[in-house]
Amino acid sequence: GTVWDEITTIDVVLATGTLESKSKVDVLNGENLAMVGREIIAFRTATLIGPKTYRLSGLLRGRKGTEPYMDNHVNKELFVLLDQNTMVDYPYSLGTKDQEVQFKFVTFGSSIDKATAVSAKPSGASRRPWKPSHLKATITGSDWNLSWKGRNTVNTELIDGSPSINQDGFGGYVLQFLNPLTDVVVRTVVQQTSDYIYTTEQQIADFGSAQGTIRVIVTQLDLEFGPGFHVVHTFN
């Protein structure tokens, strides 16, 4: 999810329209963005291999916080090209998520009474916090020093001098320390900052001795949505 994927290819059969190749710079600037299943990808090369059938390559994976869906693909998933010039935001509150909404899309020159209604249930996924990134750990004596970076789901481009998290609704982080052998949670911490010291005293209280291996889950919180996607790692 952090480098160009030059191995994977995706064959796409279009219902309508065409696809085209773009330069690396164009893709990095938001061109050729698409949703495949629940993962958002970007592609550099679109090669026509049959009638309305393209092979996509030169991929960027897990765009816009969709890394958790990178490994969950099946055959014949829905492919939708996300043209940022034509997409329309649909604002809704989380109190109405999972409630059915009717949409009508009207062609120029036509009227709304001729359009067929399409049902959808907004899931609230756009407000679910993304996985924290850059989770690291160093050890001083037998204290474990953890650090990570939070991520913005809205206005994702950072501005010089701004904090790493600059969006409304940020609710801090949940840390869960696990037994590396059983994955049982032995300690839970909720805090606002993106660093933490797992002290020797805490390790003795949790395990009976200082630990040379720790396993930790870090989850970002949204005040309205709640916990987002988590990152989990074992350090030794």
Side-chain angles (χ1 to χ4, degrees):
T2 58
V3 296
W4 289 94
D5 181 349
E6 304 289 2
I7 299 174
T8 305
T9 61
I10 303 173
D11 291 349
V12 175
V13 181
L14 298 182
T16 185
T18 60
L19 301 176
E20 59 180 309
S21 300
K22 298 286 185 177
S23 69
K24 278 190 174 182
V25 171
D26 287 338
V27 173
L28 291 172
N29 283 329
E31 298 289 328
N32 278 359
L33 204 64
M35 177 166 278
V36 181
R38 300 190 71 178
E39 180 190 356
I40 296 177
I41 69 164
F43 60 93
R44 193 172 67 246
T45 304
T47 304
L48 188 66
I49 61 173
K52 290 189 176 296
T53 304
Y54 291 83
R55 178 160 294 159
L56 309 183
S57 59
L59 308 177
L60 289 175
R61 304 289 306 278
R63 302 292 92 187
K64 298 186 179 296
T66 59
E67 310 101 308
Y69 303 117
M70 287 172 58
D71 298 325
N72 300 324
H73 290 287
V74 296
N75 195 25
K76 297 184 179 179
E77 289 182 310
L78 182 65
F79 170 90
V80 180
L81 187 67
L82 303 178
D83 185 344
Q84 297 190 83
N85 295 317
T86 59
M87 287 191 296
V88 177
D89 288 333
Y90 171 68
Y92 63 96
S93 69
L94 284 178
T96 61
K97 82 181 187 71
D98 295 326
Q99 295 182 14
E100 188 170 288
V101 181
Q102 298 284 327
F103 293 93
K104 283 189 174 183
F105 302 92
V106 184
T107 303
F108 285 111
S110 184
S111 60
I112 194 168
D113 58 296
K114 296 179 180 180
T116 301
V118 178
S119 297
K121 291 183 179 181
S123 66
S126 60
R127 281 294 302 275
R128 187 172 187 178
W130 297 351
K131 291 193 336 182
S133 67
H134 297 80
L135 177 59
K136 300 177 181 178
T138 59
I139 193 166
T140 304
S142 52
D143 290 349
W144 285 94
N145 305 287
L146 299 167
S147 64
W148 60 92
K149 293 185 181 297
R151 298 168 70 191
N152 293 300
T153 58
V154 181
N155 298 325
T156 57
E157 298 298 327
L158 293 178
I159 301 172
D160 288 346
S162 71
S164 59
I165 294 294
N166 57 9
Q167 68 185 48
D168 294 336
F170 171 68
Y173 305 96
V174 176
L175 284 76
Q176 294 173 294
F177 293 91
L178 311 175
N179 184 316
L181 301 178
T182 64
D183 266 357
V184 173
V185 177
V186 298
R187 179 178 293 270
T188 299
V189 178
V190 180
Q191 63 176 44
Q192 293 290 309
T193 58
S194 57
D195 52 35
Y196 186 78
I197 299 177
Y198 189 29
T199 66
T200 305
E201 291 74 18
Q202 291 172 329
Q203 296 168 51
I204 292 172
D206 295 339
F207 295 99
S209 63
Q211 299 293 291
T213 299
I214 62 168
R215 184 166 171 80
V216 63
I217 296 173
V218 182
T219 309
Q220 188 170 313
L221 297 174
D222 179 90
L223 291 176
E224 188 176 6
F225 187 94
F229 295 109
H230 66 263
V231 59
V232 57
H233 197 75
T234 300
F235 297 99
N236 49 40

